[in-house]
Amino acid sequence: MKINNQNDKMYLIVDTTAIIHFSSIEENLAINEFLLLPEGLKEEIKSHKAQTIFQLIEGSEKTIFDTPSNDALSEIRIKASESGDLDSLSITDIQVIALALDYPNSVILSDDNAIQNLCAFLQIPVKSQFFKIKSKRQYFWKCNVCNTKFEAKRTNCTECGSPLKRYYVKFR
Ligand SMILES: [Zn+2]
């Protein structure tokens, strides 16, 4: 056993849905597993129930708080814009995925649709509890009046001004 070897450490990156959906994660960690949370996560915890769970996780000696690097954050924003997930991700969600780039030996715990979708494109491992996406989706926006398509999110069509709707193409 080489449990003191840094390389053997495994980081479970926790998002807001995982705080509520995964029960007692801080109690069920293997000896080399650590919980990794972005600094900003605390502000997203709203309900009393979630706050109670968060305090248990926060108090665990196996919990690490970190801020992702600017390089990782900008890469995630670019990729999220490409997949069409950017507007569905909170600042904390982006931090969660960016941490996975900074900590290669990690897995994200999340039941969030947009996080899972973007991670599927980036080949970042995700463990889910109650919700798992069935396929990758590349989102786009389309005008139903003049049929113009837009890769990035817009509210109104640049050609005719009509409101746009979001669609997607499925990937395996
Ligand atoms: Zn139009």
Side-chain angles (χ1 to χ4, degrees):
M1 288 226 293
K2 310 178 290 174
I3 55 168
N4 292 323
N5 188 332
Q6 287 278 329
N7 298 329
D8 291 334
K9 283 188 180 173
M10 184 77 201
Y11 297 94
L12 309 182
I13 307 174
V14 179
D15 87 335
T16 316
T17 62
I19 297 278
I20 306 159
H21 293 181
F22 288 69
S23 58
S24 308
I25 33 175
E26 80 285 355
E27 288 176 13
N28 297 308
L29 296 167
I31 197 149
N32 64 329
E33 287 178 339
F34 294 84
L35 297 179
L36 178 58
L37 283 70
E39 298 276 5
L41 190 79
K42 193 172 186 171
E43 278 91 77
E44 267 199 2
I45 308 296
K46 298 278 189 281
S47 75
H48 180 71
K49 184 190 168 202
Q51 280 172 357
T52 308
I53 302 168
F54 182 80
Q55 280 162 11
L56 288 172
I57 292 171
E58 193 180 26
S60 165
E61 59 187 18
K62 300 262 265 173
T63 298
I64 299 159
F65 286 88
D66 200 0
T67 307
S69 66
N70 286 331
D71 282 355
L73 285 170
S74 31
E75 186 174 340
I76 295 306
R77 287 204 188 90
I78 292 165
K79 301 290 183 190
S81 174
E82 286 170 5
S83 70
D85 287 303
L86 189 58
D87 290 282
S88 309
L89 295 164
S90 69
I91 292 166
T92 310
D93 291 340
I94 290 170
Q95 290 175 340
V96 162
I97 309 170
L99 279 174
L101 296 188
D102 288 339
Y103 290 78
N105 219 10
S106 63
V107 53
I108 293 176
L109 308 184
S110 176
D111 276 351
D112 183 84
N113 192 328
I115 288 182
Q116 289 186 13
N117 194 57
L118 185 53
C119 286
F121 280 105
L122 295 169
Q123 297 183 310
I124 294 171
V126 178
K127 267 188 201 162
S128 60
Q129 184 75 353
F130 300 123
F131 171 80
K132 194 170 175 46
I133 56 164
K134 290 177 180 67
S135 58
K136 281 186 279 189
R137 293 176 175 189
Q138 170 96 53
Y139 292 96
F140 65 92
W141 284 260
K142 190 169 88 81
C143 173
N144 286 335
V145 176
C146 73
N147 282 325
T148 308
K149 286 182 186 175
F150 300 88
E151 277 184 21
K153 188 190 175 182
R154 304 188 59 89
T155 315
N156 292 94
C157 178
T158 54
E159 302 301 310
C160 72
S162 306
L164 301 176
K165 268 196 81 177
R166 188 166 87 147
Y167 295 87
Y168 59 82
V169 185
K170 277 189 194 179
F171 288 87
R172 284 287 155 198

